[in-house]
Amino acid sequence: MLLAIDVGNTNIKFAFFEGEKIIRTFRLTTQTERTSDEFGMYIQGLSEDFGIKKEDIDGVVISSVVPNVMHALNNSIKKFLNLTPLIVGPGVKTGIKLVKTNPSEVGSDRIADGVAALNMYGGPVIVVDYGTATKFDYFSADGVFESAVTCPGLIISARALWGGTARLPEIEIKDPGTIMAKDTITSLQAGIMYGHIGEAEYIINRLKAESKEKNIKVVATGGLSNIIAQGTDAIQFVEPDLLMHGLRIIYEKNK
């Protein structure tokens, strides 16, 4: 059994694979002050709650965009699971070719997303990842990471709006069903939702136009990907666990 771990800025997601199938997942909030013992306690305790013994886990792969977490997390895997994790980074085989001026700046989450999208849908493909930041990444048919566009995330944008104003309330983020808003709540919902749908459509269309490629697929992932995708024809596919599948594929490439 493979344990895939995605360390994001907001959450750390854990997924257990049997073959190509995810059988269990759980999340922890990302806290840089956790010790290796705390990580080990959570991993071992929650795994056992799911009926998964540590002896069942024979491999671990990690993607991280939070360096300060990695020392404790890495040590917890070694200490509690007796395994050395594969950490996605320079020197790890992914099949993705980087053309950026500084490849070391590319987050391993974006690489894992691209690996999964190319494997599952084929290229050329645009991956839209709705996480703490919203990322639009374009991969050519032969696996070249051609472009990376990074925008403020949907939640970050919403919190900035109601946190930076005196009289605007915190709201549920959802499609109000109409842009003809009549009150404060639907006004905020319309602005947040349709603003991000418009952002997605413009950036996707601009990437398609400047790449001059035809038949580019678009796949969205991340927590709010489904609600955005429902509001636009620019996104063809939604795969919430895209990154985790990318980690599985990368692990198999390096096993």
Side-chain angles (χ1 to χ4, degrees):
M1 185 179 296
L2 175 66
L3 172 57
I5 305 173
D6 168 34
V7 182
N9 288 295
T10 304
N11 293 309
I12 303 175
K13 183 175 180 179
F14 300 78
F16 295 92
F17 282 91
E18 279 189 353
E20 297 182 359
K21 183 180 179 181
I22 295 175
I23 59 169
R24 294 288 186 183
T25 64
F26 66 87
R27 294 175 185 267
L28 299 176
T29 55
T30 302
Q31 297 180 14
T32 56
E33 64 271 17
R34 279 201 179 103
T35 67
S36 60
D37 290 332
E38 288 175 306
F39 274 121
M41 178 185 66
Y42 280 117
I43 294 170
Q44 189 167 310
L46 290 169
S47 299
E48 290 176 354
D49 286 345
F50 295 145
I52 299 170
K53 298 178 181 178
K54 67 178 183 179
E55 293 80 13
D56 297 331
I57 304 169
D58 53 22
V60 180
V61 57
I62 303 174
S63 163
S64 175
V65 296
V66 188
N68 290 344
V69 169
M70 290 307 297
H71 179 73
L73 180 59
N74 192 18
N75 284 342
S76 74
I77 300 299
K78 294 178 179 178
K79 182 176 180 180
F80 286 86
L81 300 181
N82 296 316
L83 295 169
T84 299
L86 173 67
I87 300 173
V88 180
V92 172
K93 291 185 289 185
T94 64
I96 299 293
K97 307 177 188 71
L98 300 177
V99 295
K100 289 175 68 67
T101 54
N102 190 351
S104 64
E105 293 178 350
V106 180
S108 57
D109 55 338
R110 305 180 96 133
I111 297 296
D113 276 342
V115 168
L118 289 166
N119 183 271
M120 298 168 71
Y121 303 98
V125 62
I126 295 170
V127 177
V128 189
D129 190 338
Y130 287 97
T132 305
T134 300
K135 294 162 286 189
F136 298 81
D137 296 333
Y138 168 58
F139 300 86
S140 68
D142 56 353
V144 177
F145 191 171
E146 296 281 5
S147 177
V149 178
T150 307
C151 308
L154 199 153
I155 299 295
I156 283 179
S157 299
R159 286 176 178 166
L161 182 62
W162 60 63
T165 54
R167 300 187 64 180
L168 293 181
E170 184 172 344
I171 60 164
E172 178 186 3
I173 296 176
K174 68 175 187 178
D175 189 340
T178 177
I179 203 165
M180 303 296 288
K182 298 292 193 295
D183 55 62
T184 299
I185 300 299
T186 55
S187 171
L188 290 168
Q189 289 172 334
I192 293 166
M193 284 300 305
Y194 301 139
H196 281 81
I197 288 170
E199 172 188 86
E201 291 177 341
Y202 180 84
I203 293 176
I204 289 167
N205 289 334
R206 184 69 178 263
L207 284 170
K208 287 181 174 180
E210 292 198 22
S211 71
K212 298 182 173 61
E213 287 282 354
K214 297 180 179 180
N215 302 317
I216 298 176
K217 306 168 193 71
V218 181
V219 55
T221 189
L224 293 167
S225 56
N226 192 56
I227 192 171
I228 297 293
Q230 288 176 353
T232 177
D233 293 330
I235 296 171
Q236 298 165 278
F237 308 102
V238 176
E239 175 47 69
D241 295 314
L242 189 72
L243 193 154
M244 309 311 279
H245 284 289
L247 290 180
R248 171 183 57 79
I249 295 165
I250 291 170
Y251 179 80
E252 291 169 355
K253 286 178 179 289
N254 290 270
K255 188 166 56 177

